Amino acid sequence: MSHKYVYLFSEGNKDMRELLGGKGANLAEMTNAGMPVPQGFTISTEACTQYYNDGRQINDEIKAEIDEYLVKMEKICGKKFADPENPLLVSVRSGARASMPGMMDTILNLGLNDVVVKGLAKFTNNERFAYDSYRRFIQMFSDVVMELPKPEFEKIIDQKKAEKGVKMDTELSADDLKDLVVRFKAFYKEKKGEDFPSDPKVQLMEAVKAVFRSWDNPRANVYRRLNEIPYDWGTAVSVQAMVFGNSGDRSGTGVAFTRNPATGEKALFGEYLINAQGEDVVAGVRTPSPIAQLKQDMPEVYKQFASIADRLEKHYTDMQDMEFTIENGKLYMLQTRNGKRTANAALKVAVDLVDEGMIDEKEAVLRVEPKQLDALLHPQFDAEALKKAKALGKGLAASPGAACGRVVFSAEDAKEWAKNGEKVVLVRRETSPEDIEGMQSAEGILTVRGGMTSHAAVVARGMGTCCVSGCGEIVVDYDAKTFTLGGKTIKEGDYISLDGTTGNIYGEAIPSAPATISGNFGRFMEWADKYRQLEVYTNADTPRDAKQGRKFGAEGIGLCRTEHMFFEETRIKAMREMIVAETTEEREKALAKIMPFQQGDFEGLYEAMEGRPVIIRYLDPPLHEFLPTKEEDIKEIADELGITVARLKNVIASLHEFNPMMGHRGCRLCVTYPEIAKMQTTAVINAAIAVTKRNKFKVEPRIMIPLVGEVKELKFVKDIVVETADQLIKESGMDMKYQVGTMIEIPRAALTADEIAKEAEFFSFGTNDLTQMTFGFSRDDAGKFLDSYYENKIYELDPFAHLDQKGVGKLVKMAVELGRKTRPDIHLGICGEHGGDPTSVEFCHDVGLNYVSCSPFRVPVARLAAAQAAIKNPRK
Ligand code: ADP
Ligand code: MG
Ligand code: MG
């Protein structure tokens, strides 16, 4: 028997999303639950993979199966596909395993041509509706399948409206629409050099191909990379009988959530439009009515819908996001899925579902996306400043948070300006999937059109970016790069502020204050902490960072970068004196000036952590980073140091390296200048003694030697540390313990971890450097060529954002095993950027690390990711 590629809705269920995509699986589930779903079939993701394997062709076997299922579908629907007497029209819909909003396009009303449209008009006795459907089809098919951009067609419509002196699409008559169809087809022929395809079967096959093809379009690829969705999943295609929301005033289309996706409040939430089809609601062409209005407009339909919504939520035990259409007073369900929601809503829903007895704590912990917590921790407007500010206007509060930045009018500008370190607010009439990268770069997004479920609103909520949508009073002039609101004209580059929680728009910069977290967050995170098995530390160089990390639940400091303490204005001079020193004595003299500063910093950190682990890494960067490069600075600094310009230039020249990343840095500095290690150890130990003396808790310092690749080099530095430390401790008469460990960030260290563990009491995987060294390209240079690698599917993800489990991960795993073999109680952790990345944290759990360390604001993310990893794959 040949392979099965096509499934009727009645043959699937919700657990088949890998094969049928989320949309197809849920259409099947609703069908089998007896809900009113227009029937059809789903072409599987395997067919998509096959399409690519066959060189972007649908092979005959799959084509035949599609034809076979079209016949089955006709039987079920009691109508024939594109039959002029009583036509079955279809929609062709894409659906991957994970929802990718707006990434791939749906084609509606497929099967229409000049003959079928007449039949449709006659059968429905509604000529206007028939031609409206037809012109929509030509537009969508041309855009999605033939890549003739939609705006070109919009122009033709606008022209027609101008000729007729009307404003709304709905004011165009049947004859106007007929004329539009003629103009559309003429335009198509002019651009494509051939007639618009009139054979419905050809239309169908081309549409299916287009969906498969769209899996590989640039915006889909960007979205996948941002969301770690593998390329090889592919998309499924659902072919579904059309129902018509645009067939009159007893028809309509809408989108609704079982709970409020912004707040989590338990109440049906959504919007619908009367006499409209498909994307009209999301596109923001007309402003929709709230779902509650449906209760008045069509009470029976509302009741049925509310009851289905309730059933679906109980069935999936999660908040649902549903799409529906009403045709002449009859309700049809077109989609359901677990709804995207803000972080606050996610917490509230998770906690409420536990209280309602629908799910247990563990399940609740799995329900919130760790990345989302970021949004909660972001600053809010300073309440006082906000009170004083006067809003220019108000839009919909589409995605909460506070945004303040300079106005730009295009996604490209947003990206460009942000790259140059500007904070920007993106202002658009509406957004579309091409804008995704620009939206990602913006502090906030403001749109003129579109409701709470518009593209801008959905995408912004997903990103945790503040968004105010649908502010219709705004008049945008893209050419002049200005907008007016509330009598004020704002130019490109002017500051504005958006309040995503109220929808207010301010024509000024408003200062913001750090987030305050409480309530559901506390309760939820308690559950997470109960199940997590990894310790979560923070990276902190200052007492302020340390306190911030503590507030977010950090259990220690996993990385204190001591060099950051040298860069401060008061200290950099002593540091430079140290670097230009010509003798050991001179160098020691300069270091002696730095010592008290370092000691003070360490005391601050120990105080903030109250006896919890504090891991201090010794000087890491190459020394040239502390010296000036510009001519005028060199002169000034030479004077300051009391040396000649020539001497300083000499030092700078001597420090020049061809590849500083692999140069004289890390522990190599201490091998050359042991007095650096001596000074840092003195500061670490003296600080620990001082703080232990004046507090009830005991400090047990952990000293971390960076960039080790050979056990003897570790031993060399460690000997200096131990000698210095033991001496100081002895003099103090205290009984103080300390540990010496190392970073594993050079492949050779991972490969010889068994030997290194003889000297190291702990390992911390420095996966930033380990990634650079393993791939053999530097993080700062990779940006230039990684895009070509993504385009060519050589790499799918940024290895600096998400730990490369195959290569770098293999080294980590090996070092874990080798290290434990030598020293079973060795303490193992990670301190690279990856320590705050959810999938990387999961990897750390799975390979058996003891802790992860990340920046303070990522701590809650790491706690939750660790909990989820432990629930999915508990360790003994
Ligand atoms: P997306 O994944 O972008 O949401 P969908 O496949 O859900 O795309 O299609 C978008 C919209 O098109 C739906 O919300 C619905 O309004 C409309 N639509 C899709 N299929 C049908 C159909 N068979 N009958 C009527 N409307 C449909
Ligand atoms: Mg879409
Ligand atoms: Mg949809």
Side-chain angles (χ1 to χ4, degrees):
M1 213 191 81
S2 63
H3 191 83
K4 182 173 170 67
Y5 286 107
V6 186
Y7 297 77
L8 285 174
F9 290 171
S10 55
E11 292 177 304
N13 65 55
K14 72 173 172 13
D15 301 319
M16 290 166 73
R17 35 186 330 134
E18 291 192 11
L19 203 58
L20 305 180
K23 201 179 284 166
N26 289 337
L27 283 169
E29 188 78 9
M30 288 196 288
T31 296
N32 292 323
M35 292 175 181
V37 175
Q39 287 302 292
F41 56 84
T42 301
I43 307 164
S44 74
T45 54
E46 290 175 351
C48 180
T49 309
Q50 193 58 45
Y51 161 88
Y52 282 103
N53 289 344
D54 290 336
R56 299 184 174 230
Q57 290 298 328
I58 301 181
N59 68 34
D60 293 342
E61 187 194 342
I62 297 175
K63 269 189 197 149
E65 209 178 329
I66 293 173
D67 284 339
E68 181 191 330
Y69 275 76
L70 192 59
V71 174
K72 290 191 188 185
M73 175 180 173
E74 289 175 335
K75 283 216 184 88
I76 295 169
C77 298
K79 289 189 203 181
K80 287 216 144 41
F81 179 50
D83 174 6
E85 289 305 310
N86 176 15
L88 169 65
L89 301 179
V90 299
S91 65
V92 176
R93 314 175 65 186
S94 61
R97 245 190 257 187
S99 122
M100 290 174 58
M103 284 297 112
M104 284 165 295
D105 294 294
T106 294
I107 299 162
L108 304 178
N109 311 330
L110 188 138
L112 282 173
N113 58 31
D114 289 350
V115 181
V116 177
V117 72
K118 288 204 184 97
L120 183 67
K122 208 165 126 205
F123 187 80
T124 57
N125 196 18
N126 189 342
E127 198 174 35
R128 188 188 183 284
F129 150 74
Y131 281 90
D132 182 49
S133 304
Y134 192 19
R135 67 94 192 159
R136 285 169 187 268
F137 168 61
I138 297 173
Q139 234 174 310
M140 266 187 258
F141 188 89
S142 303
D143 177 35
V144 178
V145 181
M146 297 300 177
E147 280 150 11
L148 274 186
K150 237 185 271 176
E152 301 286 329
F153 292 94
E154 297 291 344
K155 264 192 219 151
I156 300 174
I157 299 179
D158 286 343
Q159 202 181 332
K160 182 79 197 174
K161 283 198 274 194
E163 284 167 25
K164 300 289 293 184
V166 299
K167 276 215 174 112
M168 307 280 283
D169 291 6
T170 41
E171 293 171 288
L172 292 173
S173 70
D175 284 336
D176 296 335
L177 294 168
K178 257 189 212 173
D179 182 45
L180 270 185
V181 165
V182 173
R183 293 190 195 188
F184 278 8
K185 291 209 304 186
F187 175 72
Y188 182 96
K189 188 161 185 186
E190 180 196 318
K191 288 282 160 186
K192 285 279 148 189
E194 59 188 28
D195 285 323
F196 186 83
S198 61
D199 180 344
K201 284 240 169 127
V202 171
Q203 295 173 353
L204 178 60
M205 224 43 94
E206 287 303 316
V208 173
K209 254 193 252 170
V211 175
F212 286 159
R213 198 166 61 222
S214 75
W215 176 251
D216 194 32
N217 75 27
R219 26 174 171 119
N221 285 324
V222 168
Y223 186 89
R224 267 199 297 278
R225 198 159 67 247
L226 293 175
N227 293 279
E228 297 173 74
I229 297 172
Y231 177 71
D232 64 16
W233 279 4
T235 180
V237 185
S238 291
V239 176
Q240 185 176 30
M242 280 302 301
V243 288
F244 297 98
N246 56 333
S247 59
D249 290 340
R250 299 267 310 143
S251 302
T253 181
V255 181
F257 295 80
T258 53
R259 297 176 193 232
N260 185 316
T263 63
E265 187 205 347
K266 191 179 177 184
L268 211 49
F269 176 90
E271 295 167 321
Y272 73 103
L273 268 177
I274 288 291
N275 198 4
Q277 186 175 56
E279 308 270 88
D280 290 359
V281 183
V282 250
V285 182
R286 278 191 272 152
T287 301
S289 323
I291 193 83
Q293 177 73 29
L294 189 63
K295 215 176 189 166
Q296 267 98 64
D297 287 355
M298 300 185 205
E300 280 310 309
V301 173
Y302 179 84
K303 219 173 105 191
Q304 191 193 359
F305 180 71
S307 130
I308 288 177
D310 191 49
R311 270 178 71 199
L312 282 172
E313 185 177 277
K314 293 208 168 91
H315 189 75
Y316 286 93
T317 68
D318 199 359
M319 182 249 264
Q320 294 299 295
D321 168 0
M322 301 155 296
E323 295 172 10
F324 63 94
T325 282
I326 304 159
E327 182 183 276
N328 296 322
K330 181 161 169 28
L331 174 71
Y332 292 95
M333 298 302 296
L334 293 177
Q335 189 172 344
T336 192
R337 61 178 168 208
N338 296 338
K340 291 215 182 302
R341 57 204 86 172
T342 63
N344 264 317
L347 291 177
K348 178 160 168 56
V349 170
V351 167
D352 285 353
L353 289 180
V354 170
D355 290 341
E356 290 165 30
M358 248 197 264
I359 58 175
D360 62 15
E361 285 173 13
K362 281 190 191 175
E363 186 56 39
V365 167
L366 293 173
R367 288 293 173 83
V368 178
E369 237 190 278
K371 266 197 284 194
Q372 272 199 302
L373 294 182
D374 255 357
L376 284 180
L377 315 173
H378 286 147
Q380 301 289 322
F381 285 128
D382 176 81
E384 283 306 304
L386 192 63
K387 238 186 263 166
K388 280 189 217 124
K390 200 177 155 315
L392 289 180
K394 196 178 168 101
L396 300 172
S399 179
C404 170
R406 302 176 67 188
V407 170
V408 292
F409 289 94
S410 77
E412 294 83 76
D413 285 345
K415 213 174 120 185
E416 212 41 57
W417 290 41
K419 222 187 254 163
N420 297 327
E422 292 284 353
K423 290 189 185 310
V424 299
V425 173
L426 177 62
V427 181
R428 298 285 301 163
R429 290 211 184 96
E430 69 246 300
T431 65
S432 68
E434 291 94 291
D435 298 334
I436 191 147
E437 279 185 288
M439 294 169 78
Q440 185 93 3
S441 312
E443 302 294 308
I445 297 154
L446 172 61
T447 69
V448 181
R449 297 199 282 240
M452 293 293 287
T453 49
S454 65
H455 178 266
V458 171
V459 172
R461 279 199 294 272
M463 291 175 175
T465 301
C466 164
C467 175
V468 173
S469 71
C471 180
E473 291 124 88
I474 291 181
V475 181
V476 178
D477 184 338
Y478 280 144
D479 295 329
K481 298 194 175 178
T482 60
F483 77 82
T484 54
L485 176 66
K488 194 171 166 183
T489 299
I490 307 272
K491 295 190 297 292
E492 178 185 63
D494 289 349
Y495 276 95
I496 63 166
S497 302
L498 303 180
D499 188 335
T501 316
T502 59
N504 281 335
I505 303 154
Y506 303 89
E508 64 199 270
I510 303 174
S512 52
T516 45
I517 38 182
S518 59
N520 293 323
F521 181 81
R523 205 173 148 210
F524 179 83
M525 291 308 288
E526 254 173 49
W527 295 339
D529 289 340
K530 192 154 111 191
Y531 297 107
R532 118 179 112 81
Q533 294 171 306
L534 278 169
E535 298 169 84
V536 177
Y537 294 178
T538 188
N539 299 349
D541 308 333
T542 63
R544 209 186 87 229
D545 288 353
K547 278 183 200 132
Q548 186 67 264
R550 278 290 304 136
K551 235 172 62 193
F552 289 148
E555 300 164 283
I557 293 179
L559 175 65
C560 162
R561 302 175 174 91
T562 51
E563 58 271 16
H564 288 186
M565 303 170 165
F566 295 128
F567 279 109
E568 245 174 66
E569 221 170 308
T570 45
R571 310 164 185 197
I572 187 122
K573 181 167 176 241
M575 189 64 191
R576 287 171 176 154
E577 283 173 9
M578 193 280 285
I579 294 169
V580 301
E582 283 174 329
T583 64
T584 308
E585 267 157 37
E586 261 180 51
R587 199 169 304 111
E588 279 174 340
K589 233 167 86 190
L591 284 167
K593 290 190 202 163
I594 302 172
M595 208 286 292
F597 289 122
Q598 285 244 295
Q599 184 178 331
D601 290 335
F602 296 149
E603 286 183 27
L605 291 177
Y606 294 147
E607 295 276 1
M609 296 314 285
E610 300 177 316
R612 290 174 189 81
V614 175
I615 300 177
I616 292 168
R617 179 183 71 181
Y618 280 14
L619 188 63
D620 187 52
L623 296 180
H624 75 85
E625 284 188 16
F626 298 93
L627 294 182
T629 49
K630 282 202 214 112
E631 193 66 30
E632 63 262 35
D633 296 341
I634 293 176
K635 167 102 185 52
E636 195 188 313
I637 285 162
D639 288 351
E640 206 183 287
L641 294 175
I643 60 174
T644 63
V645 170
R647 178 168 158 201
L648 183 55
K649 281 190 170 171
N650 249 333
V651 174
I652 294 171
S654 73
L655 290 177
H656 172 78
E657 290 179 321
F658 288 100
N659 188 345
M661 180 191 103
M662 294 191 168
H664 192 194
R665 52 171 289 222
C667 65
R668 295 160 199 166
L669 292 169
C670 296
V671 173
T672 323
Y673 308 120
E675 48 283 8
I676 297 177
K678 223 182 272 173
M679 180 281 284
Q680 293 206 283
T681 306
T682 308
V684 164
I685 298 297
N686 279 347
I689 291 170
V691 171
T692 303
K693 267 190 190 150
R694 57 177 185 254
N695 286 289
K696 288 209 182 69
F697 55 84
K698 262 190 168 173
V699 180
E700 184 185 321
R702 304 189 190 193
I703 292 164
M704 182 156 75
I705 313 298
L707 221 73
V708 164
E710 156 60 43
V711 65
K712 285 187 203 139
E713 120 192 276
L714 171 61
K715 171 113 178 28
F716 181 90
V717 181
K718 184 181 165 185
D719 284 347
I720 301 162
V721 170
V722 169
E723 193 193 336
T724 312
D726 287 354
Q727 179 67 26
L728 291 169
I729 291 170
K730 201 167 134 204
E731 281 166 17
S732 79
M734 280 175 90
D735 145 49
M736 170 168 293
K737 290 208 190 75
Y738 65 93
Q739 294 181 19
V740 182
T742 186
M743 305 220 9
I744 302 287
E745 53 187 336
I746 288 183
R748 195 178 188 281
L751 296 167
T752 61
D754 47 350
E755 291 182 20
I756 290 178
K758 284 185 196 143
E759 296 297 333
E761 290 166 272
F762 63 88
F763 288 168
S764 177
F765 290 94
T767 49
N768 296 349
D769 266 310
L770 190 59
T771 299
Q772 305 196 84
M773 306 256 188
T774 303
F775 278 84
F777 51 65
S778 84
R779 179 157 81 160
D780 304 317
D781 297 319
K784 282 183 218 148
F785 52 80
L786 272 182
D787 276 338
S788 318
Y789 277 71
Y790 300 145
E791 263 163 45
N792 292 300
K793 316 277 169 4
I794 298 171
Y795 297 131
E796 284 183 40
L797 297 173
D798 176 357
F800 296 105
H802 311 290
L803 187 83
D804 158 51
Q805 302 189 4
K806 226 187 214 165
V808 178
K810 197 177 211 171
L811 285 171
V812 171
K813 236 168 134 173
M814 177 188 289
V816 165
E817 279 155 22
L818 290 175
R820 287 231 167 91
K821 210 162 81 192
T822 302
R823 193 187 285 267
D825 65 344
I826 192 166
H827 198 233
L828 303 174
I830 182 177
C831 65
E833 290 299 295
H834 300 108
D837 169 59
T839 44
S840 308
V841 170
E842 182 172 356
F843 174 81
C844 293
H845 170 89
D846 290 342
V847 298
L849 296 193
N850 299 97
Y851 71 92
V852 296
S853 187
C854 55
S855 67
F857 276 87
R858 306 289 294 173
V859 166
V861 176
R863 282 161 71 198
L864 179 53
Q868 295 185 345
I871 290 169
K872 286 190 240 170
N873 180 19
R875 286 204 302 234
K876 273 156 247 115

